[in-house]
Amino acid sequence: MAEPVRVRRLTDQAGQKPQQIVRRGSTGSVRYRRAMMLLASADGNRVPVIAQLVQADEDTVRDVIHRFNEIGPACLDPRWAGGRPRLLSRDDEDFVIQTATTRPTKLGQPFTRWSLRKLVAYLRKVHGRVILIGREALRCLLARRGVTFQRTKTWKESPDPEREVKLDRIEEVLDCFADRVFAFDEFGPLGIRPTAGSCWSVRKRPGRLPATYHRTHGVRYFHGCYSVGDDRLWGVNRRKKGAANTLAALKSIRAARPDGAPIYVILDNLSAHKGTDIRRWAKKHKVELCFTPTYASWANPVEAHFGPLRQFTVANSHHPNHTVQTQALHAYLRWRNANAGHRDVLAAERRERARIRGEKGIRWGGRPAAKAA
C-alpha cells in the first residue's frame, strides 16, 4: 500500500512562513490556501480532508505538497508566465542568481550589497565567464526567479535539544489518537480600538472606521481550545496569561472527554503552560501534555484556526468595550462549530464572492466575470 501524501518534516523557518500567512490573512488567496494546505498536512490531515478544508481538488493538494517537498516555501508563489525564449541559458541565469544572492565581500568586492549597476558591471568582467545583460533585463530576471530587494532580518532557529522527539510525539498522537487530541494556545493581545480590515464597498468609497487617541480599556487574551477529532473550537477571554488560566482551560478540555480515558493536549512550552500544579493535575487526570519545540508553535493544530478568528471578529471591527468584543468572539465560535462542514470559512466566503460575480456580472480585478453556464 502506497504511503499517504504528506509534507516532509518542516524546519522552523519553513513552518513559521505558512503560519504567519494564515494568522495574518493579509495576502492573496493563492498563498493563503497553499499555506493552509501545508499546515493542515503538517498537522497529520490526509489529502481528502485538506481538499475539503480549502475547497480544492485533491490532485491540486497533492501537487502543492509534492512541490513543497521539492522546493520548500517557494511553492507558495507559483510562477505562471509565457513569452519569447530567454536570451540567457539556464546555466547563465543560475549563475546570475547565485551571484546576486551572494554577499559582494565574499566575491572580493568592496561593498556590502549589490546595486543593479554594480551587479551588471561585475557580470561583464567576472573571471572565466562574461554575461552581457542590461539593468532592466537583470531586474526582470531577478523578479522572475523570486529574488527581490529586501531588508535584512534576524531569525530564530529552535535551540530545543528535544525538537525531533517532540515533533515525533505530536505526529504520533495526531495519527493514532486523533479523536482524543486537543490543542490549546493563547491569541492576543486584544485591545479596544478600531481595527482595519476589508469589506464590500462601492468602488472608490471604502468603509471608514474612526480613529482613537485614548485607550483605557486594557487588553485581553483569548484562550482557545480545539478538538482535533470533533473539529470544534471554543475559548474564553482573560485579562492575562497565567498558570491558573491554563489549568482552567485544561479542565474544560478534560470535561469534553469525561470517560476518564487518556487524552492528549498539544501546546507550546510557555512557562504558564508547564507549572508544577499543572503537571501534577495532568498526571492525576490522565492528560498528556505534548509540548511543541521552542520557536516551533506552528506545529500546534490550533494555529490554523486563529487566522479566520482574527479575520472575522477582530479585523474590520470597532468594539466599544471588551464585553462586546467577547460576545462577538463567542457568536463567531457558535457559528463556526454549527457550520463545521465548511471547514475553512474563508473558502466559503470566496465561493460566495464567485457566485455573486457570476450572477451579477460584477467586474473584479479589471476583468468581466464569466457567465454561468
Side-chain angles (χ1 to χ4, degrees):
M1 182 176 179
E3 290 291 331
V5 177
R6 186 172 183 178
V7 297
R8 55 178 167 79
R9 172 67 59 79
L10 297 181
T11 64
D12 295 317
Q13 289 177 282
Q16 289 165 5
K17 184 66 175 180
Q19 178 188 1
Q20 291 174 354
I21 293 174
V22 171
R23 294 197 69 169
R24 295 174 182 173
S26 57
T27 185
S29 60
V30 174
R31 284 170 58 85
Y32 187 92
R33 295 178 72 191
R34 289 186 170 221
M36 286 284 290
M37 293 178 194
L38 299 181
L39 281 182
S41 180
D43 291 336
N45 293 287
R46 306 296 185 184
V47 169
V49 176
I50 301 174
Q52 186 179 7
L53 175 68
V54 300
Q55 296 299 311
D57 187 76
E58 293 184 14
D59 289 337
T60 300
V61 176
R62 293 188 183 94
D63 290 341
V64 171
I65 294 175
H66 286 312
R67 191 62 175 159
F68 175 83
N69 292 338
E70 293 174 2
I71 65 174
C75 75
L76 295 172
D77 299 296
R79 299 293 176 181
W80 300 310
R84 67 180 184 178
R86 301 182 180 92
L87 299 181
L88 296 179
S89 67
R90 175 63 66 173
D91 290 340
D92 289 339
E93 289 189 356
D94 292 341
F95 180 77
V96 171
I97 298 302
Q98 181 182 358
T99 304
T101 54
T102 301
R103 280 185 171 270
T105 51
K106 292 184 177 181
L107 300 176
Q109 302 302 304
F111 28 83
T112 59
R113 67 169 180 86
W114 295 110
S115 67
L116 290 179
R117 288 180 181 273
K118 290 181 173 60
L119 184 55
V120 167
Y122 176 81
L123 292 173
R124 289 180 177 179
K125 62 180 182 180
V126 62
H127 178 70
R129 192 166 196 166
V130 177
I131 297 179
L132 300 178
I133 186 172
R135 293 199 304 273
E136 183 61 20
L138 176 60
R139 184 192 63 79
C140 293
L141 171 60
L142 295 176
R144 187 169 64 250
R145 297 290 290 270
V147 178
T148 59
F149 194 76
Q150 307 173 34
R151 288 185 176 275
T152 304
K153 295 184 177 181
T154 59
W155 55 276
K156 295 179 179 179
E157 187 74 30
S158 176
D160 197 328
E162 299 181 353
R163 179 183 183 275
E164 297 300 323
V165 175
K166 291 180 178 179
L167 290 178
D168 288 339
R169 183 54 180 166
I170 291 175
E171 290 181 1
E172 181 181 359
V173 299
L174 286 171
D175 287 340
C176 303
F177 314 104
D179 59 332
R180 308 194 67 80
V181 175
F182 298 82
F184 167 76
D185 199 6
E186 295 91 356
F187 150 52
L190 302 174
I192 298 302
R193 61 183 180 86
T195 305
S198 56
C199 64
W200 291 101
S201 297
V202 178
R203 185 186 296 273
K204 296 186 179 181
R205 295 181 181 271
R208 300 287 185 178
L209 293 174
T212 58
Y213 300 95
H214 303 286
R215 299 170 184 169
T216 59
H217 295 273
V219 299
R220 297 290 187 273
Y221 293 88
F222 177 76
H223 290 59
C225 306
Y226 175 64
S227 173
V228 176
D230 298 337
D231 189 20
R232 179 170 169 263
L233 181 68
W234 73 95
V236 63
N237 275 358
R238 304 286 191 183
R239 288 183 178 273
K240 60 182 181 180
K241 302 178 183 180
N245 294 332
T246 300
L247 183 57
L250 293 177
K251 289 180 178 179
S252 74
I253 292 176
R254 177 72 270 185
R257 292 289 188 276
D259 53 8
I263 62 174
Y264 309 87
V265 181
I266 301 173
L267 65 172
D268 60 40
N269 59 2
L270 185 70
S271 60
H273 296 170
K274 51 184 181 180
T276 304
D277 293 340
I278 293 176
R279 292 180 182 271
R280 184 185 304 115
W281 178 90
K283 182 177 181 180
K284 179 180 178 181
H285 293 84
K286 298 181 180 180
V287 178
E288 180 180 337
L289 303 178
C290 302
F291 294 105
T292 62
T294 306
Y295 306 144
S297 60
W298 51 264
N300 192 334
V302 76
E303 291 289 346
H305 300 275
F306 280 164
L309 183 65
R310 182 187 296 272
Q311 287 297 309
F312 289 105
T313 61
V314 178
N316 197 35
S317 70
H318 182 204
H319 302 301
N321 52 55
H322 283 295
T323 301
V324 176
Q325 185 183 65
T326 300
Q327 291 172 351
L329 282 169
H330 288 170
Y332 170 80
L333 292 176
R334 288 192 295 271
W335 180 91
R336 186 247 178 236
N337 293 330
N339 296 271
H342 286 296
R343 297 286 180 172
D344 180 11
V345 293
L346 290 183
E349 185 183 30
R350 283 196 296 271
R351 291 199 305 273
E352 181 66 9
R353 289 179 180 176
R355 182 186 66 81
I356 294 174
R357 293 199 299 272
E359 293 179 358
K360 304 300 182 181
I362 299 176
R363 294 176 63 86
W364 184 261
R367 298 183 181 180
K371 296 297 183 180

